[in-house]
Amino acid sequence: MNREKVIFAFFIVLALTLNFGFFLGGFDEIAHHNVYELFAATIVSMICTVLKFGDRTHIGALMLATSLVADLQLVVAAMMWGYGVQMSVDGMTPELVSSIVSLSGGALLANVVSVVLLMVETIMVRR
Amino acid sequence: MHDVLYVLLRRLRKPLITVIVVYAIAVTGFVLIPGQDDAGQPWRMDFFHAIYFVSFMGSTIGFGEIPYPFTAPQRAWTLVTIYATVIAWLYSIGSMLALIQEPGFSRILRRRSFAKEVRNFNEPFYLVCGYGVTGTAIIAGLCQRGIRSVVVDVDQERIDALQMDDLPIRVPGLCANASLPDVLDDAGLQHATCIGVLALTDDDNVNLSIAIASKLLQPEGVVVSRTESDVHARNLASFGTNHIIDPFRAYAEYLSLVAKSPYMHLVYDWLVNPYHRPLSSVYKKASGRWIICGFGRFGRALYDDFRQGNVETVLLDDNPAVLEGYENTVLGLGTEAETLLKAGVEDAVAVVAGTHNDADNMSIIMTAMEINPKLVTVVRQNLSSNRLVFENSRADFVMEPGRIIANRILAKLKTPLLPVFIEKMQHHDEVWAHTLLNRMSNIAGDRELDSWSVKVSDVSAPAVMAMFDQGMAVKLQALMKNSRDRNRSLPCFPLLHRRDGVLSMLPGELTELEPGDEVLFCGLSSAKGRMEWILKNYNILFYILTGEDPSFNLLSRILKRF
């Protein structure tokens, strides 16, 4: 058992599950989406990105790319949330909520690709 | 090239994750801990304000408690997170700075900038492996001639020395093991303008692997290697190393010339060594019995050469095993008078102190000179740090392997015609050599005698070619005139003339040049620069040929028609 691999897989899968948990629910229903979950998903996704730094393999490069995509989508979603709560005159409109949720849906897809790549890498190792 | 980035990113994983985690915990804390607004109503910080507050708190900017004054639990949490975030920052910045200062990291950076500098070379250069005594002398010689070079040495101290040496041209140096092909590649082995590789390290095996890599990766390039054993020399020759230089063999050849033909030896010495021996040194008698102390590699090489020249020798060594099977041997080191007397030092002409111990060598020649002051003395200097002692030893010849190799290689790199001349001159007699030596002495005196070759071609002598196009004949003497006053000559004279493979020694000054001719000159190096002007500047050559100094601009040409 490789301790580094355990930590790595843990964070990747955690990023996916948190992201999925946030995504689940009505598209324009703010009550179905928890801000803490979005925060946790963003932080875990960032940690995943840093964990992938410095991997010289081809799969490592792909994983870094998917992770950066997830970060980007989640950070934009968080910024929209902040805009909706703090700056928008109308407050959190259903339109804003639906675009936040769809952005996190994009991040979810990127996280799924990350997990698929992780599985591919695991299958390729025949030891 | 990506190495640096990967190393940097890999090392930054931990510090970056620490910063992210600490910030996340701090933000979560502020979001969860209840506060009060200015009306005293319960209020909770949202993520937006929490991130805002932690960001300026973590970087210790401090804008105060916003948007409302904090409650006690919030202040307690702030107290904890101030220290946590500052420590996280210090840790990550500290590890980044440590990484930049780390020797391994700076080595990678140095190697990258070295490789980049070499890659951007656009003029011919030599790759020199090893910056010891030999390498130092060769780099200095190359710089003097305006030829660029690159140095690889395994010792950082020598690379530092390279940077301290006041060279007229910048010579990039890298501290790395030259026997690794990728180091050679970074140093420009496969570069389009790399002329050749000089393997000058003091390890024969390293030289061998440098030579092999060079021959495989750059088959057209010149490869010069030093070696100190016959096995390696044969090995190097087997795959086409261009020049193999064994310091002991080279010096043995040089010394045996002293015994056979002293004037020829001096001609050779003047052409090859920058500091030549004075003309007066030849009056010592050198044909007769030679005593060789120390029968190692040097002694054996000397013995082989002397036997071919029928010179009488006596061999001395303190190890009876190496003397077995040879005639005229005496057991002993030669440091004490007794053994030297047994070897017949009283009526010998020369003594060679060739052991591998500098102190023994000095002792041998001092003892021998006491018994017979007329002796020609040859002493081998093993360590270059002992130079001061050897310079004041009053020995006739000091043999320092590093310098011998440097002079040999420089003579070969200077011009390919010089070795041809040296080879051919040995068929002439002593009278010829004496005459030549007098001519050299008139020109150079005690200064360094330089030699260079000139090729009549569009690239190297455009002015001469232009004269040919106009149907004017250019004689050899025209190249040796002073461009300011054509009645005076430059301090140089021709040694060798080559036309279509036909060689003529000491060509007459009235020889008419033809396209494709090659001429080897010797003289002061100042004459070399002057000659370049004559070869390349039409106006100067025109003045030298005709004595007129007309202007050739367009206006004067048009005016001349009327």
Side-chain angles (χ1 to χ4, degrees), chain B residues 105-157:
Chain B
F105 185 73
S106 59
R107 208 180 307 133
I108 294 175
L109 280 184
R110 267 206 301 275
R111 171 115 176 233
R112 263 191 69 182
S113 68
F114 169 82
K116 195 173 161 215
E117 186 178 354
V118 175
R119 234 188 350 265
N120 291 338
F121 268 26
N122 48 16
E123 53 221 306
F125 67 95
Y126 282 100
L127 167 53
V128 180
C129 306
Y131 193 69
V133 176
T134 318
T136 311
I138 286 185
I139 297 282
L142 288 174
C143 282
Q144 212 184 349
R145 298 209 144 223
I147 302 170
R148 296 208 69 171
S149 42
V150 169
V151 171
V152 177
D153 197 298
V154 77
D155 190 352
Q156 181 64 43
E157 266 178 39

Side-chain angles (χ1 to χ4, degrees), chain B residues 57 164 175 186 203 235 256 265 269 275 277 311 400 553:
Chain B
M57 181 197 65
M164 305 281 254
C175 170
D186 275 355
D203 185 332
N235 196 344
S256 68
H265 165 83
D269 192 67
Y275 305 104
R277 296 156 49 66
V311 179
E400 196 191 349
N553 59 40

Side-chain angles (χ1 to χ4, degrees), chain A residues 36 39 51 53-54 56 86, chain B residues 3 10 13 31 46-47 49:
Chain A
Y36 295 102
F39 179 69
L51 278 175
F53 276 180
R56 304 183 71 170
Q86 305 293 334
Chain B
D3 280 0
R10 199 185 291 264
R13 270 185 198 169
V31 171
D46 50 44
F47 275 109
H49 283 101

Side-chain angles (χ1 to χ4, degrees), chain B residues 25-262:
Chain B
I25 293 171
V27 168
T28 318
F30 280 113
V31 171
L32 294 181
I33 292 167
Q36 276 183 341
D37 63 8
D38 43 3
Q41 296 300 310
W43 175 83
R44 272 202 184 173
M45 217 182 230
D46 50 44
F47 275 109
F48 176 75
H49 283 101
I51 290 172
Y52 176 59
F53 180 76
V54 171
S55 298
F56 70 63
M57 181 197 65
S59 49
T60 64
I61 298 171
F63 289 143
E65 298 169 346
I66 48 134
Y68 310 115
F70 281 4
T71 56
Q74 276 180 315
R75 287 196 176 143
W77 183 241
T78 308
L79 212 51
V80 173
T81 50
I82 281 175
Y83 290 104
T85 47
V86 167
I87 288 167
W89 269 118
L90 285 183
Y91 168 56
S92 56
I93 290 172
S95 36
M96 208 185 299
L97 288 180
L99 178 65
I100 290 166
Q101 285 171 344
E102 199 173 282
F105 185 73
S106 59
R107 208 180 307 133
I108 294 175
L109 280 184
R110 267 206 301 275
R111 171 115 176 233
R112 263 191 69 182
S113 68
F114 169 82
K116 195 173 161 215
E117 186 178 354
V118 175
R119 234 188 350 265
N120 291 338
F121 268 26
N122 48 16
E123 53 221 306
F125 67 95
Y126 282 100
L127 167 53
V128 180
C129 306
Y131 193 69
V133 176
T134 318
T136 311
I138 286 185
I139 297 282
L142 288 174
C143 282
Q144 212 184 349
R145 298 209 144 223
I147 302 170
R148 296 208 69 171
S149 42
V150 169
V151 171
V152 177
D153 197 298
V154 77
D155 190 352
Q156 181 64 43
E157 266 178 39
R158 300 220 191 111
I159 297 297
D160 293 342
L162 170 71
Q163 263 133 31
M164 305 281 254
D165 285 348
D166 215 6
L167 295 169
I169 304 177
R170 172 156 167 78
V171 178
L174 176 70
C175 170
N177 187 350
S179 61
L180 304 172
D182 57 334
V183 171
L184 289 176
D185 193 40
D186 275 355
L189 177 60
Q190 303 204 63
H191 196 290
T193 61
C194 178
I195 316 169
V197 179
L198 315 182
L200 308 174
T201 68
D202 47 13
D203 185 332
D204 275 359
N205 285 320
V206 173
N207 289 341
L208 188 63
S209 47
I210 294 170
I212 291 175
S214 314
K215 268 292 154 198
L216 282 175
L217 298 173
Q218 173 96 322
E220 293 94 50
V222 180
V223 177
V224 181
S225 175
R226 79 175 265 187
T227 177
E228 290 180 4
S229 79
D230 292 341
V231 183
H232 276 103
R234 277 198 297 275
N235 196 344
L236 286 165
S238 68
F239 54 84
T241 305
N242 304 69
H243 304 296
I244 302 154
I245 288 155
D246 177 349
F248 301 112
R249 194 150 288 288
Y251 205 71
E253 279 168 21
Y254 175 79
L255 267 190
S256 68
L257 211 53
V258 179
K260 280 185 286 192
S261 38

Side-chain angles (χ1 to χ4, degrees), chain B residues 301-330:
Chain B
L302 201 55
Y303 174 78
D304 290 346
D305 267 353
F306 278 170
R307 211 182 38 183
Q308 281 171 17
N310 289 323
V311 179
E312 190 192 347
T313 51
V314 181
L315 308 174
L316 263 80
D317 203 293
D318 58 348
N319 181 0
V322 297
L323 293 175
E324 223 164 89
Y326 291 95
E327 292 170 6
N328 274 345
T329 59
V330 176

